Amino acid sequence: MIKVLVTGGAGFIGSHIVDRLVKEGHQVLVVDNLSTGHRINLNPSAEFVKLDIQDDALADTFNRFGPEVVIHHAAQVAVTHSIRHPLYDARVNIMGTLNVLEACHKSGVRKLIYASSAAVYGLPESDMLKETHAIKPLSFYGISKHTPEHYIETYARLIGLDFTILRYANVYGGRQDAKGEGGVVSIFASKLLNNERCAIFGDGEQTRDFIYVKDIVSANISALTRGSGKIMNISGGSATSINQLLRTMCDITGKRFAPVYMAPRTGDIKDSVLDNRLAVKELGWSPEYTLHDGLLETLDFEKQSRTKVEKGVS
Ligand SMILES: NC(=O)c1ccc[n+]([C@@H]2O[C@H](COP(=O)([O-])OP(=O)(O)OC[C@H]3O[C@@H](n4cnc5c(N)ncnc54)[C@H](O)[C@@H]3O)[C@@H](O)[C@H]2O)c1
């Protein structure tokens, strides 16, 4: 049993990680300010403290719980919000992470696992983005997710805090908010289940590297004991076009709605695939879900949550 503190554990990815940690018998404390997370996502067997990661009281919470490992997922996650509100984005993602690092230092945490993003790379200069690819973020979000990587590496050097940094591709799965990164799957799921047509920006032939949330969870579980001092891409490692994604979701739901094609969005990247071979080697991990199986579970999850809401079950 490990004592694990999960920041952002009421959010999409963090809550799935908490569920798995609890299932494996670990003692879990969630710190989340519920800005985009929801109480309904909280695992009843995990302790919960409603707190902003920027709060001075964070160190007391860490000291009281005494975590061995911190899995840090709390963040401002919307690229568009970062462009409209760069100060807020930097406060949460940079200063908030710095406060987490200080709390780790003061409470003797052994290891920090940090959720970083493919957004740190910017425009792909090769077909498969390796971790050594140039860092040229296209948004303030990309900057604010990358800057903490420097702080983490420097804390490791100065005070010996162990770490693993995981740069996620487009994550999808149940509980995802349509506003976040990779929100296209949750937007399409919601439209299809409402019997509405889906909008595609551009010709739909742009590709993304989708990864199912349970594969992200298993990478975090491996990182509890492996991947020391490493920065790694966590991705499916293959390209899926938006047209292909929608076709698969239509096949699963049996819905046949032609998409509405809209003008391409400025700044949208044409193709993006992350090389995941370093994580395969260092974490002894590999993605297990095919796109079809991940989407099937996601759509089932979405249908079940709707039924629960209709019946008034929490
Ligand atoms: N979803 C993706 O495709 C994706 C891709 C790359 C990286 N990430 C990273 O994964 C992490 C989780 O993202 P998600 O998609 O689950 O988003 P999410 O919005 O569902 O989760 C973020 C959680 O952090 C909490 N939070 C936000 N600001 C906080 C603050 N100041 N103090 C305390 N809690 C705060 C929110 O309430 C929420 O529960 C983030 O760090 C994000 O940058 C996500």
Side-chain angles (χ1 to χ4, degrees):
M1 189 274 290
I2 305 178
K3 275 189 173 184
V4 188
L5 189 151
V6 182
T7 72
F12 161 47
I13 301 173
S15 64
H16 285 279
I17 294 173
V18 171
D19 286 349
R20 172 82 178 268
L21 288 167
V22 164
K23 203 169 164 195
E24 296 201 353
H26 299 299
Q27 191 179 340
V28 184
L29 171 71
V30 170
V31 171
D32 197 302
N33 69 353
L34 300 180
S35 53
T36 55
H38 305 282
R39 273 186 196 276
I40 197 172
N41 294 342
L42 289 167
N43 187 301
S45 300
E47 200 188 325
F48 172 58
V49 174
K50 183 170 182 276
L51 191 65
D52 195 301
I53 52 164
Q54 301 167 81
D55 202 302
D56 288 343
L58 191 73
D60 295 338
T61 304
F62 274 53
N63 273 325
R64 182 185 57 75
F65 183 66
E68 182 184 335
V69 178
V70 171
I71 300 187
H72 178 36
H73 277 64
Q76 186 303 109
V77 301
V79 172
T80 45
H81 195 77
S82 82
I83 292 165
R84 270 188 243 119
H85 304 283
L87 289 174
Y88 175 80
D89 175 74
R91 271 187 219 116
V92 176
N93 293 359
I94 301 176
M95 295 306 286
T97 303
L98 196 45
N99 203 31
V100 168
L101 282 161
E102 272 297 281
C104 287
H105 178 28
K106 287 179 186 150
S107 63
V109 167
R110 176 179 65 79
K111 179 167 192 177
L112 177 79
I113 301 171
Y114 171 64
S116 187
S117 167
V120 304
Y121 296 120
L123 273 184
E125 290 168 5
S126 52
D127 291 348
M128 276 275 204
L129 297 190
K130 283 193 197 311
E131 292 80 357
T132 49
H133 186 279
I135 302 289
K136 292 182 186 167
L138 297 172
S139 67
F140 300 125
Y141 171 76
I143 300 173
S144 72
K145 290 304 289 183
H146 182 245
T147 305
E149 295 187 3
H150 291 298
Y151 277 101
I152 293 166
E153 287 182 302
T154 308
Y155 267 83
R157 258 194 310 276
L158 296 178
I159 65 153
L161 174 71
D162 191 11
F163 71 87
T164 298
I165 293 171
L166 306 174
R167 290 181 183 155
Y168 302 156
N170 288 71
V171 189
Y172 70 93
R175 300 185 186 138
Q176 184 171 29
D177 206 310
K179 292 195 293 285
E181 275 188 87
V184 61
V185 171
S186 54
I187 296 168
F188 284 178
S190 141
K191 290 274 180 197
L192 289 175
L193 296 177
N194 287 340
N195 291 317
E196 291 169 24
R197 291 175 74 188
C198 298
I200 291 183
F201 297 96
D203 65 3
E205 286 306 301
Q206 66 273 36
T207 63
R208 294 291 176 269
D209 184 341
F210 292 102
I211 178 150
Y212 186 48
V213 69
K214 286 191 183 165
D215 282 326
I216 293 285
V217 171
S218 52
N220 277 270
I221 297 295
S222 295
L224 290 174
T225 51
R226 302 180 64 155
S228 181
K230 295 280 188 277
I231 301 182
M232 286 169 281
N233 291 335
I234 302 295
S235 68
S238 63
T240 303
S241 75
I242 303 301
N243 285 328
Q244 220 177 321
L245 174 77
L246 183 57
R247 270 197 305 274
T248 311
M249 294 179 76
C250 283
D251 287 347
I252 293 171
T253 52
K255 312 267 167 131
R256 285 275 160 255
F257 298 116
V260 183
Y261 287 99
M262 319 267 283
R265 284 185 299 199
T266 37
D268 253 6
I269 293 174
K270 175 83 179 84
D271 300 297
S272 163
V273 184
L274 299 191
D275 188 329
N276 64 17
R277 283 174 294 181
L278 187 60
V280 170
K281 177 168 160 259
E282 295 291 338
L283 295 178
W285 160 94
S286 57
E288 288 183 351
Y289 281 79
T290 61
L291 184 69
H292 180 276
D293 291 353
L295 290 173
L296 189 67
E297 276 203 15
T298 306
L299 285 155
D300 273 352
F301 194 100
E302 180 64 25
K303 275 189 239 162
Q304 278 171 25
S305 342
R306 285 175 176 223
T307 316
K308 279 187 194 160
V309 170
E310 277 158 21
K311 288 185 179 161
V313 183
S314 70

